[in-house]
Amino acid sequence: MAPRDFDTNPLWPDAAMPAPAHDSAHLHVAGLARYVDDEPELPGTLHLAFGLSSEARARIVSIDLAAVRAFPGVVAVYTAADIPGENNVGPIAHDDRVLADGEVVSHGQPVFLVTAETRAAARKAARLGKVTYEPLEPAITVEAARAAGSRIEADQRMARGDAGQALAGAQHRFAGSLRIGAQDHFYLEGQVAHARPGEDGQIHVVSSSQHPSEVQHLVAHLLGRPSADVTVEVRRMGGAFGGKESQAALFAAAAALVVHRTGRPAKFRCDRDDDMIVTGKRHDFEVDYEVGHDGAGRLSAVKLRFGGRCGATMDLSPSINDRTMFHADNCYFLPDVEIVSERLKTNTVSATAFRGFGGPQGMLAIERVCDHVAARLGLDALDVRVRNLYGPGRDVTPYGMKLEDNIAPQMIARLRETSRYEARGEAIAAFNAGSRVLKKGIALTPVKFGISFTTKHLNQAGALVHVYADGSIQANHGGTEMGQGLHIKIAQIVADVFGVGVDAVRITATRTDKVPNTSATAASSGADLNGMAAWRAAMAIRARMADFLAAVFGCAAEDVQFSAGGVVAGEARLSFAEAARKAWMGRISLSSTGFYATPEIEYDRATHRGRPFYYFAYGAAVSEVVVDTLTGEHKVLAVDILHDVGRSLNPAIDRGQIQGGFVQGQGWLTTEVVEWDAKGRLLNHSPATYKVPTASDRPKRMRIDLWDGDNVKPTIHRSKAVGEPPLMLANSVFCAISAAIAAIAPEVRDLPKLDAPATPEAVLRAIAGMRA
Amino acid sequence: MAVRFLLDGEVVELPAPDPTGTLLETLRGPLRRTGTKEGCAEGDCGACTVLLGEADGGRVAWRAVNACILFLPMVHGKAVMTVESLAPDGRLNPLQSCMAMNGSSQCGFCTPGFVMSLHGRAIGALGCELPVADAIAGNLCRCTGYGPILAAGEAVQSLAQDDAAALAGLSGLTGDAIVDGVFQGRQWFAPRSSSDLVDVLAAHPDARIVAGATDVGLWVTKGLRDLDCLVFIGDVADLKTIDETAEGVRLGAGVRYAEAHGALARLHPDLGELVRRIGGLQVRSSATVCGNIANGSPIGDGPPALIALGAELTLRSAAGRRTMPLEDYFLDYGKQDRRAAEFVESVFVPRPVEGAMVHIFKLSRRFDSDISSVLGAFALTVEGGMIAAARVAFGGMAATPRRASACEAALVGQPFSEATIAAAAEALKRDFIPLSDVRGTAAYRIEAAAALLWRLWHREQGAGVSVLDVEPC
């Protein structure tokens, strides 16, 4: 086998190795996997807690911390004035204060930082601060922000043709609206960071972060030090889901500040309630739409308006709301279309990244449009969906990107068959006819999710691979492990290059001193970017070994083979360990970096046109639900999923992402409620009042099939990203609930006015609307 | 005084700890058992699940508990099993192996808690007869969607457990009761008999009574309150009795929900189903039925159901015993008819008469491990098509769990008919002016309460009324 050139596409061997389990699974089940808070503390470690704002928007008149300082065990209390450098943890706009400076912009915003010998002392003392505020009028809701003209940036418009004119000329025309609720990440491991002083002003931060490089840079700016003096390390996170992309920096920054001021190690493990109050969530939206269509349900004109509650600061909201716009077409061709996105600045905690990154909300909106068209025409919603799919001659998105990999029609057709959609639809109609209280509904919804950071420069990754003289291998890369199985995929890729077992590859903690200037592990990009970088690093070492062994054994470098049987060079046959040792003795470098930057992507944000995505990941799901029309309770009964991961790097890991993503999406659309009261106080800030799905909420029957096609793009082993797309498969749950509600009044040719999440209360409201 | 407990056969002795410190803090801190995680510190996520064992005849009775809200002296004299106990020599047990191989973990943070819940089920811990999904209803996972975890629980239904060492160790700890301890300035009493309890309360009328600490624990971990005098009743032997007779069931103050589950389910299957949905198994394995009454929650899933069934409460103090209908105990929001130095001794739940229409319905956002938005409980006696008697009680509709007297009046003496149900549903508006809160608006509560009457009606007609009973097409 010839060494593969770096620029040609690596292809997973046809006889793919069996999918190994998560590399830490044996540690997880034994309680031996170490998270930030599990590392032994150095003597003298200090513990931290924030004093939080009681107001949503106010000027700070005075801060009296005497009682806080006097509390037994308190070592120091800091305010904004104690920050030597830049008081900011905002990723883009530099507008996220570590500690409030003169004003507060959301309830629960950190105002002061307590440092104590114990965590309990810090938490108790933090409640003793006396802050005097001069309250200002807050904008809590989308409506209030809109009325006040309060925005984090200008409205964005993405359009093709003339939607207004097309609406006027449409055979049928209607308008509708939808509210989509926010979602808390509810990672099981809360926010935590542990900082330790080094010599000469250096600092080492162990953080539960998806973005160690950003934490490094923000800490450096905070302390007024160069980035080279700050090292950030992440071994693993106990869940993240986007909630530790930008939000982890606050806690790392606070711990670093304490190290800087006291010279002592400092750990900030945030209490769960504080975590939920202080950190951002998925954006909630108010969506309005106007639709024109023909008698067969084919869309001719669509106007969509997304009012997104962005919270008090910019955070990542521009990109998130852009992604909402990018996914407002989903799999459907919208001939004349106008998508307007308002990024409303409210005095609530800044909304942030969450699996799907705005995409789910855009996608849910257009699914509701399809349902609405079908309801008005009395058609099956799936027929309407199929009629509107992208296809030949109808294959350009609203942002001008031509689809090159559209497999949605084939996937829907196959799923329609394997899920027995038609037969079950008939059985459901029969059930509903015979059931007065309980009504069933079924829906099939597709997913098309754009893969790449839409901010071009983020689409880069680095890796560092070492082969040791005993043949063992360390691989390091810029991605972080949050449970998604990134490290095992990287280990598989590297092991495959050297023809060794995956156990021979040790993936080490992500560290900014090993691979610099990394992007967040986000946008589903972890394996795409870092996998290719690691593959290139490993291939560089393998090429050096092959050249060396060819010279030693008198064969061509192309004839040196690395496989499970060992290394073959001409007549010689060596174990990989022998080959490594020989190369070391021969003074060959057995360490290499690797780098990858996604090709082809280009986007002009001013006109919202271009090719923001390298490719798309697809999927489709059928959900069957039952609704209690008396109380609004409902249950997901059965789910059939067909999902596209290209040529899977690890089918077991990918299946895990699919079903986990689905259930998380189900929670977003059913039980998980995020509400702020009129004063901007978050009402759901603990698992007592914030309800993520439990085991019994998992659908009784769940079937998951992987689509059997390769990625048409030369990604690592022709695989596709899988982190986020499956979450949106759960849109089918919401649409099925709506269908079940509609079954109480089949004669009403309208869509139930159902908002997300479909709590029993929301369902009952929609039922009342159908009966009115 | 020291707290002593058994950890993998070894006695752990903690001299004079803060009695309101938690087992979790001790495990993760001085004992370096960091496999047990803190996810919420309020008993709602199960990441801190450990097993607690007590000698019970010739065996050890294990139960899964949330270590995050368990006060340290509550484990005095007991055995503790953590995730590290399962693979002492580094070899995973069959359950752990199965979970490691089948994708039961992704981020892994919740995993030790699931391991312990499923391990408990496999070794016969309290509640082990429940289906797998119920055994892990108190464990939250945000990554996996639960499929592989459920499959692992199904695959490993039982595991051998050698309790010989634990039994021997526990017998060595018996007689080592903390009856009266002062730790770090806080008083902790753990009487062994109800008469001792009477005396302790007589001497310390303001002492806070703690049974399972699933409520009071949060006062400390979330409320950051300082509790300076506590009386733990979990070791009071004569309050642990379940007296099941033809007349009904009497539960002593120390009887935990999981222990009472069978007896209550035998009174009526709806009561069994309700208990299944009160908290997760870890909560039911700590929380007592009487504690759920005594603390006076306005929702308190147990009380409205027991009120509808005609339960009687017995309170006791040095002045003697008082017995009252359960509904009379709840005076107002946060106010109960419990006098100084008095404690709830037992609750008696009469067995429904043959042919009584009993229906207990819980509405919550999530089916498992959630607090009710509305709980409706109904006990109707229908004779010759006429409603002869009706007891209707609701939780979540007022400042206390209480009876719906206007609704009852609209039912009694009327034919069991749609018209009567409609009138009774209308009457609920005179009974209750509910509040809007995080679990539901007032409008929803009023509408849902009426809907529960209609659910009763349709169910009596033989119609399917529960989404939990429906199979997919």
Side-chain angles (χ1 to χ4, degrees):
Chain A
M1 186 177 74
R4 293 177 284 210
D5 186 88
F6 298 163
D7 292 328
T8 61
N9 170 45
L11 196 61
W12 211 230
D14 286 334
M17 66 181 84
H22 194 286
D23 51 289
S24 294
H26 63 293
L27 301 175
H28 294 153
V29 298
L32 298 176
R34 281 194 183 182
Y35 302 81
V36 175
D37 191 47
D38 299 340
E39 297 292 336
E41 286 168 15
L42 292 172
T45 298
L46 293 168
H47 298 267
L48 280 53
F50 283 131
L52 305 179
S53 168
S54 62
E55 304 297 315
R57 183 168 174 238
R59 199 176 63 79
I60 296 174
V61 177
S62 65
I63 303 179
D64 174 2
L65 299 172
V68 185
R69 291 200 169 94
F71 193 83
V74 169
V75 171
V77 190
Y78 301 113
T79 62
D82 297 302
I83 295 171
E86 193 187 1
N87 179 7
N88 173 58
V89 282
I92 299 173
H94 301 251
D95 61 346
D96 264 305
R97 302 285 156 258
V98 178
L99 297 170
D101 192 2
E103 57 163 8
V104 291
V105 291
S106 66
H107 177 265
Q109 181 184 346
V111 176
F112 59 90
L113 174 65
V114 186
T115 304
E117 300 289 353
T118 67
R119 186 166 175 267
R123 289 179 65 208
K124 284 185 177 177
R127 297 190 182 183
L128 302 177
K130 292 189 184 70
V131 183
T132 312
Y133 299 97
E134 178 191 325
L136 303 169
E137 183 64 28
I140 304 300
T141 62
V142 162
E143 293 90 339
R146 201 178 263 156
S150 173
R151 287 171 166 74
I152 60 152
E153 65 168 350
D155 293 357
Q156 299 292 308
R157 181 176 177 274
M158 178 187 286
R160 167 170 58 202
D162 186 337
Q165 199 174 12
L167 274 172
Q171 189 182 345
H172 300 275
R173 169 179 185 175
F174 67 93
S177 64
L178 169 69
R179 281 171 183 253
I180 304 173
Q183 184 179 26
D184 191 273
H185 305 82
F186 209 83
Y187 27 67
L188 263 290
E189 177 210 37
Q191 301 279 358
V192 57
H194 191 170
R196 297 174 190 136
E199 65 177 26
D200 202 15
Q202 294 179 84
I203 191 163
H204 186 98
V205 181
V206 183
S207 173
S208 182
S209 166
Q210 292 171 249
H211 202 344
S213 282
E214 188 168 273
V215 171
Q216 177 198 18
H217 300 146
L218 289 169
V219 166
H221 293 153
L222 179 92
L223 302 181
R225 310 279 312 184
S227 289
D229 284 354
V230 180
T231 301
V232 178
E233 175 178 349
V234 180
R235 173 56 189 91
R236 61 171 61 79
M237 286 164 272
F241 317 111
K244 295 173 181 173
E245 181 171 351
S246 63
Q247 304 296 292
L250 174 66
F251 304 91
L257 174 65
V258 171
V259 169
H260 178 85
R261 301 287 311 194
T262 65
R264 289 169 65 173
K267 181 153 80 177
F268 199 151
R269 179 167 68 80
C270 192
D271 171 66
R272 173 64 63 178
D273 288 64
D274 285 355
D275 184 323
M276 293 182 77
I277 291 167
V278 170
T279 68
K281 308 169 195 318
R282 188 187 293 287
H283 291 65
D284 58 325
F285 277 87
E286 299 203 356
V287 188
D288 297 294
Y289 51 82
E290 282 183 80
V291 178
H293 61 93
D294 67 13
R298 195 176 272 224
L299 300 167
S300 55
V302 176
K303 272 191 176 183
L304 285 157
R305 185 174 198 85
F306 291 95
R309 173 150 51 180
C310 297
T313 64
M314 184 172 278
D315 191 69
L316 302 165
S317 284
S319 309
I320 292 167
N321 285 269
D322 282 0
R323 193 167 273 268
T324 301
M325 300 168 80
F326 287 128
H327 289 81
D329 61 339
N330 196 14
C331 296
Y332 311 112
F333 179 65
L334 312 177
D336 284 275
V337 55
E338 180 185 67
I339 301 162
V340 174
S341 165
E342 299 170 280
R343 290 96 199 269
L344 296 156
K345 182 173 183 169
T346 53
N347 295 106
T348 50
V349 67
S350 200
T352 192
F354 195 146
R355 203 176 197 171
F357 205 71
Q361 297 96 319
M363 219 178 269
L364 183 65
I366 198 68
E367 294 304 336
R368 289 296 280 171
V369 167
C370 290
D371 280 347
H372 208 155
V373 170
R376 290 172 62 89
L377 294 174
L379 298 173
D380 184 284
L382 181 53
D383 290 335
V384 170
R385 288 191 166 89
V386 168
R387 279 168 204 165
N388 284 291
L389 291 175
Y390 282 112
R394 309 162 29 91
D395 53 3
V396 178
T397 66
Y399 44 92
M401 176 171 167
K402 192 173 190 316
L403 290 195
E404 297 164 349
D405 57 8
N406 180 23
I407 49 173
Q410 298 96 302
M411 290 184 73
I412 290 171
R414 188 186 296 176
L415 183 64
R416 189 173 195 151
E417 195 179 309
T418 56
S419 69
R420 301 183 299 110
Y421 177 82
E422 257 75 27
R424 283 167 66 195
E426 286 167 23
I428 285 166
F431 174 93
N432 288 343
S435 175
R436 181 158 165 193
V437 174
L438 306 179
K439 299 289 183 189
K440 282 188 174 187
I442 190 168
L444 187 159
T445 59
V447 168
K448 165 183 130 284
F449 194 75
I451 303 300
S452 290
F453 286 100
T454 58
T455 303
K456 185 178 173 182
H457 75 266
L458 300 177
N459 295 284
Q460 58 173 310
L464 176 64
V465 174
H466 303 316
V467 173
Y468 292 93
D470 68 350
S472 65
I473 299 163
Q474 265 192 8
N476 195 283
H477 58 91
T480 54
E481 177 66 42
M482 59 196 95
Q484 82 278 41
L486 175 59
H487 284 355
I488 189 65
K489 286 182 171 178
I490 302 287
Q492 288 176 262
I493 289 163
V494 171
D496 177 59
V497 168
F498 295 112
V500 298
V502 72
D503 293 343
V505 181
R506 167 69 67 185
I507 306 275
T508 54
T510 311
R511 291 175 60 121
T512 55
D513 56 358
K514 286 209 169 183
V515 177
N517 306 321
T518 56
S519 294
T521 309
S524 307
S525 69
D528 275 13
L529 298 179
N530 298 289
M532 194 65 98
W535 182 80
R536 288 180 173 180
M539 286 299 287
I541 298 170
R542 195 180 84 172
R544 285 183 216 139
M545 290 177 73
D547 287 343
F548 168 73
L549 293 170
V552 170
F553 294 108
C555 65
E558 301 85 69
D559 295 333
V560 179
Q561 293 180 31
F562 294 76
S563 67
V567 182
V568 177
E571 300 300 309
R573 188 174 204 89
L574 304 82
S575 69
F576 182 73
E578 288 164 344
R581 183 172 172 78
K582 208 170 257 306
W584 169 62
M585 294 294 289
R587 299 188 299 170
I588 301 302
S589 166
L590 294 177
S591 174
S592 177
T593 59
F595 186 78
Y596 177 71
T598 311
E600 296 183 33
I601 47 179
E602 205 60 63
Y603 192 68
D604 178 10
R605 192 162 184 261
T607 58
H608 284 295
R609 301 196 73 73
R611 182 198 174 92
F613 304 118
Y614 190 36
Y615 66 91
F616 293 94
Y618 294 85
V622 174
S623 289
E624 178 186 341
V625 306
V626 60
V627 170
D628 176 350
T629 60
L630 285 174
T631 64
E633 290 174 299
H634 50 79
K635 181 108 183 99
V636 184
L637 298 174
V639 173
D640 295 80
I641 290 169
L642 179 58
H643 198 77
D644 162 37
V645 294
R647 183 179 293 212
S648 177
L649 289 171
N650 184 320
I653 294 289
D654 288 350
R655 282 172 184 277
Q657 289 298 297
I658 293 166
Q659 53 185 318
F662 181 91
V663 172
Q664 197 172 69
Q666 180 187 330
W668 168 51
L669 293 172
T670 56
T671 55
E672 297 178 33
V673 178
V674 176
E675 280 181 296
W676 288 271
D677 70 9
K679 292 188 167 170
R681 293 175 296 206
L682 179 69
L683 298 178
N684 325 79
H685 48 76
S686 84
T689 50
Y690 187 74
K691 294 299 178 183
V692 305
T694 62
S696 72
D697 294 311
R698 178 188 171 84
K700 282 187 174 180
R701 199 178 76 204
M702 200 163 182
R703 172 181 168 167
I704 297 164
D705 291 316
L706 300 182
W707 180 252
D708 48 7
D710 290 359
N711 195 339
V712 299
K713 289 294 178 186
T715 51
I716 181 76
H717 299 316
R718 297 270 174 182
S719 63
K720 285 195 181 181
V722 69
E724 294 164 290
L727 182 128
M728 285 149 273
L729 296 168
N731 286 345
S732 58
V733 170
F734 190 79
C735 293
I737 291 170
S738 179
I741 295 168
I744 64 168
E747 70 287 355
V748 176
R749 288 264 179 110
D750 203 359
L751 189 69
K753 182 82 188 71
L754 181 65
D755 291 323
T759 59
E761 178 162 357
V763 169
L764 209 53
R765 212 160 35 230
I767 287 171
M770 287 300 278
R771 288 188 167 136
Chain B
M1 283 203 69
V3 167
R4 272 184 286 275
F5 61 90
L6 211 57
L7 185 62
D8 301 343
E10 303 285 328
V11 176
V12 174
E13 178 167 327
L14 301 158
D18 177 350
T20 59
T22 66
L23 175 61
L24 180 65
E25 290 161 358
T26 293
L27 286 173
R28 291 187 55 80
L31 297 179
R32 290 293 303 148
R33 293 248 174 163
T34 54
T36 309
K37 308 298 184 193
E38 179 185 306
C40 67
E42 61 170 65
D44 258 313
C45 81
C48 64
T49 303
V50 299
L51 301 184
L52 214 55
E54 291 169 75
D56 178 23
R59 62 186 277 273
V60 177
W62 295 100
R63 57 193 167 94
V65 296
N66 289 312
C68 70
I69 48 172
L70 201 69
F71 294 139
L72 202 51
M74 292 170 68
V75 302
H76 182 77
K78 300 181 177 67
V80 174
M81 197 192 300
T82 71
V83 69
E84 290 91 348
S85 309
L86 306 191
D89 55 358
R91 281 223 314 275
L92 301 179
N93 85 2
L95 173 69
Q96 291 172 305
S97 291
C98 179
M99 292 179 71
M101 293 303 295
N102 86 342
S104 282
S105 69
Q106 287 184 22
C107 85
F109 198 83
C110 70
T111 312
F114 278 95
V115 169
M116 294 313 290
S117 286
L118 291 175
H119 184 77
R121 183 175 182 272
I123 64 166
L126 185 60
C128 66
E129 67 287 351
L130 292 167
V132 176
D134 286 325
I136 57 174
N139 294 83
L140 299 177
C141 170
R142 194 57 156 161
C143 296
T144 65
Y146 301 100
I149 302 171
L150 287 162
E154 295 293 345
V156 185
Q157 295 275 355
S158 75
L159 288 168
Q161 170 72 22
D162 183 0
D163 282 335
L167 266 180
L170 283 171
S171 72
L173 288 178
T174 53
D176 188 23
I178 308 173
V179 176
D180 176 354
V182 177
F183 308 81
Q184 299 190 11
R186 302 187 207 273
Q187 284 182 290
W188 178 270
F189 299 96
R192 295 289 166 128
S193 70
S194 59
S195 56
D196 287 350
L197 174 59
V198 167
D199 293 344
V200 169
L201 287 172
H204 303 275
D206 294 331
R208 174 60 51 189
I209 301 172
V210 175
T214 57
D215 188 17
V216 176
L218 277 70
W219 299 5
V220 174
T221 63
K222 292 292 166 180
L224 305 183
R225 283 168 62 175
D226 285 307
L227 303 177
D228 293 327
C229 183
L230 300 109
V231 183
F232 173 55
I233 64 167
D235 288 336
V236 179
D238 59 325
L239 291 181
K240 293 185 178 189
T241 51
I242 303 174
D243 190 12
E244 198 174 357
T245 64
E247 285 70 45
V249 173
R250 179 174 297 278
L251 302 171
V255 177
R256 303 178 183 104
Y257 260 112
E259 293 161 343
H261 196 169
L264 294 175
R266 285 187 288 275
L267 280 181
H268 194 276
D270 273 17
L271 195 53
E273 171 64 1
L274 175 66
V275 172
R276 183 188 73 79
R277 286 178 57 190
I278 294 176
L281 183 57
Q282 298 93 322
V283 168
R284 295 197 302 276
S285 295
S286 290
T288 59
V289 178
C290 286
N292 187 207
I293 294 167
N295 78 350
S297 156
I299 302 165
D301 282 358
L306 300 182
I307 289 171
L309 292 172
E312 281 185 345
L313 196 66
T314 298
L315 295 106
R316 183 176 162 193
S317 67
R321 291 189 171 87
R322 290 194 297 146
T323 292
M324 65 180 77
L326 179 55
E327 55 268 39
D328 291 351
Y329 176 71
F330 302 101
L331 301 177
D332 202 346
Y333 182 77
K335 194 161 183 282
Q336 298 88 38
D337 184 9
R338 186 168 64 84
R339 298 170 186 161
E342 202 172 35
F343 64 95
V344 171
E345 186 180 46
S346 68
V347 64
F348 175 75
V349 193
R351 196 170 296 280
V353 296
E354 190 73 26
M357 285 182 191
V358 172
H359 299 272
I360 301 166
F361 302 129
K362 169 173 175 163
L363 295 181
S364 49
R365 273 190 187 151
R366 188 175 71 191
F367 287 105
D368 288 344
S369 197
D370 195 1
I371 296 171
S372 303
S373 320
V374 177
L375 191 136
F378 311 86
L380 272 54
T381 311
V382 178
E383 290 164 359
M386 301 295 285
I387 302 170
R391 292 180 66 88
V392 177
F394 278 90
M397 294 293 289
T400 64
R402 65 176 177 83
R403 289 175 72 173
S405 50
C407 176
E408 289 177 356
L411 291 166
V412 175
Q414 301 297 316
F416 185 62
S417 66
E418 285 199 47
T420 300
I421 294 293
E426 191 60 28
L428 281 175
K429 291 179 190 160
R430 298 197 296 278
D431 280 318
F432 298 111
I433 305 171
L435 294 175
S436 291
D437 68 13
V438 69
R439 296 190 173 84
T441 62
Y444 172 71
R445 287 192 153 111
I446 266 293
E447 193 181 351
L452 294 183
L453 267 169
W454 284 109
R455 177 184 278 189
L456 176 156
W457 169 260
H458 289 293
R459 194 186 193 198
E460 285 290 337
Q461 309 310 306
V465 293
S466 172
V467 296
L468 299 181
D469 297 335
V470 179
E471 292 300 319
C473 288

